[in-house]
Amino acid sequence: KVSLGLYSQASGAYLYDLPIVIQSVVCFVVLIFAREFFRKKSWKNFLFSLSSIIYLLYFSLQMRNISLFRGFYLTGIMIIGIALVHLFFNSKVGYQWLIVPIVLIQPIFQELGLKRAVSNTDFNLGEIFQSIFQRGILRSYWDFYSSAGDINIFDTFVAAFNAKPDWYPTILSWLYVPFHLIPRAIWSSKPISGILQDVSFADRIPYSPGLIGYFILDGGKLWMLFSMLLLGIFLGNIDNLLYKLPNGILKSFLYGTISIIALITTRFFLWQGFYQAIYAIVPAFLISLIVFPRKLKKNKS
């Protein structure tokens, strides 16, 4: 209901992204308090750290009132998990930190998918775990991957793979990214929902073929390979840049943010992953300028 109300306004799409900005600020605060607790294990630091984590979980739960898409409200929790591991173990996060947890919580995702339309007031986490154990773990995994389950991206990707589009936007999808923030009031022909591709094959079903599927719709299979190679080069250079940053809260937050957004962008458009990273990184960087101004100046010199 709230999301429909937002999109009925002229600035609805921008207000929709505001919780992402706030959630990133909360994540950064969690890192600050967690580091202080591990530096000095006092009851005061423990309470501050615990309170910040509880508030992050509460705020993420409230974000469900804005969007039913799980990536909208669970991304911050995933980012803080990776950032904490990176901050306290001072090492790069291996694939096991990304893949294994996602595989383990797939039965929970299955239940969340079934209850995606349930409001927060009627949402009961205990019932989700009860349903999983009553059904059986193996059965929950089977339902997750079945044709009626939660992985609709596979079916939509196959449809996109076999589609014969009437047009190919090719490089326009890349060029569109920096122009997405232009309001429709100024850019009257702005693509609806940022979709430049011919998605008539989906017959208006609101499922995504994933980033690879969109790259295929941009220009075919060879264009998809070229686009993935180009995207890999960008991410590789970003990873090298993060590696050269001095160890600390900002580096760990950036590392967690880029890792998780790179992971979930496989389900998005190119511009969606880009702006979600911007919405998360800019507030954290501004906080760093305020909280750690001397340290930042010292590093720059």
Side-chain angles (χ1 to χ4, degrees):
K1 294 180 180 180
V2 177
S3 60
L4 291 177
L6 283 178
Y7 276 106
S8 64
Q9 305 175 35
S11 58
Y14 304 98
L15 293 176
Y16 177 87
D17 292 321
L18 181 60
I20 300 176
V21 177
I22 301 174
Q23 190 186 47
S24 70
V25 172
V26 177
C27 286
F28 200 78
V29 172
V30 169
L31 288 176
I32 293 175
F33 287 140
R35 189 183 66 171
E36 291 305 309
F37 171 68
F38 277 90
R39 282 182 170 179
K40 185 179 180 180
K41 293 180 175 59
S42 65
W43 278 106
K44 177 182 177 182
N45 288 337
F46 173 75
L47 291 176
F48 275 120
S49 181
L50 180 61
S51 299
S52 64
I53 293 174
I54 292 175
Y55 183 76
L56 172 62
L57 296 176
Y58 171 78
F59 185 83
S60 299
L61 180 63
Q62 296 306 311
M63 287 174 68
R64 291 183 68 251
N65 293 323
I66 304 297
S67 174
L68 297 177
F69 176 57
R70 289 185 299 269
F72 182 74
Y73 56 92
L74 292 180
T75 300
I77 298 176
M78 297 168 70
I79 287 174
I80 199 64
I82 298 300
L84 286 171
V85 170
H86 185 271
L87 180 64
F88 295 116
F89 291 95
N90 196 25
S91 62
K92 283 196 172 186
V93 177
Y95 286 113
Q96 67 272 16
W97 289 101
L98 298 173
I99 305 302
V100 173
I102 290 178
V103 173
L104 290 178
I105 64 177
Q106 282 175 354
I108 299 177
F109 269 33
Q110 168 69 12
E111 291 297 324
L112 289 175
L114 294 174
K115 300 179 182 298
R116 66 175 72 243
V118 175
S119 65
N120 286 337
T121 55
D122 300 324
F123 184 79
N124 191 316
L125 190 60
E127 292 180 358
I128 288 180
F129 288 102
Q130 182 181 2
S131 177
I132 291 173
F133 288 115
Q134 286 180 347
R135 184 188 305 172
I137 300 296
L138 294 180
R139 179 66 187 183
S140 295
Y141 277 105
W142 175 264
D143 291 341
F144 183 78
Y145 286 103
S146 68
S147 59
D150 208 56
I151 300 295
N152 49 62
I153 189 173
F154 291 154
D155 299 327
T156 316
F157 170 76
V158 172
F161 186 87
N162 294 322
K164 299 186 183 304
D166 291 334
W167 70 86
Y168 289 107
T170 57
I171 196 64
L172 292 179
S173 291
W174 287 84
L175 297 177
Y176 174 78
V177 173
F179 296 101
H180 175 71
L181 281 182
I182 299 177
R184 193 172 301 279
I186 299 175
W187 184 7
S188 59
S189 60
K190 183 178 179 179
I192 303 298
S193 300
I195 302 176
L196 284 77
Q197 297 84 355
D198 176 11
V199 292
S200 58
F201 69 93
D203 196 24
R204 298 184 179 181
I205 297 176
Y207 290 144
S208 166
L211 185 63
I212 299 177
Y214 284 125
F215 279 153
I216 290 177
L217 296 172
D218 280 339
K221 301 175 183 63
L222 289 178
W223 179 262
M224 179 270 291
L225 292 175
F226 169 76
S227 296
M228 292 302 293
L229 176 62
L230 186 60
L231 185 60
I233 292 173
F234 282 137
L235 290 176
N237 281 279
I238 292 174
D239 184 63
N240 289 333
L241 179 62
L242 293 179
Y243 180 76
K244 296 176 182 178
L245 293 176
N247 292 330
I249 292 176
L250 181 61
K251 178 178 180 178
S252 296
F253 178 82
L254 294 177
Y255 190 85
T257 299
I258 296 300
S259 298
I260 296 302
I261 290 181
L263 180 70
I264 66 174
T265 298
T266 55
R267 296 203 64 176
F268 293 156
F269 289 102
L270 191 63
W271 61 266
Q272 287 175 309
F274 173 80
Y275 282 102
Q276 188 165 26
I278 294 298
Y279 296 149
I281 290 172
V282 171
F285 186 75
L286 293 177
I287 294 176
S288 294
L289 292 176
I290 298 172
V291 179
F292 312 115
R294 294 181 181 178
K295 188 173 182 180
L296 285 176
K297 290 179 181 178
K298 182 179 179 181
N299 291 331
K300 288 180 179 179
S301 61

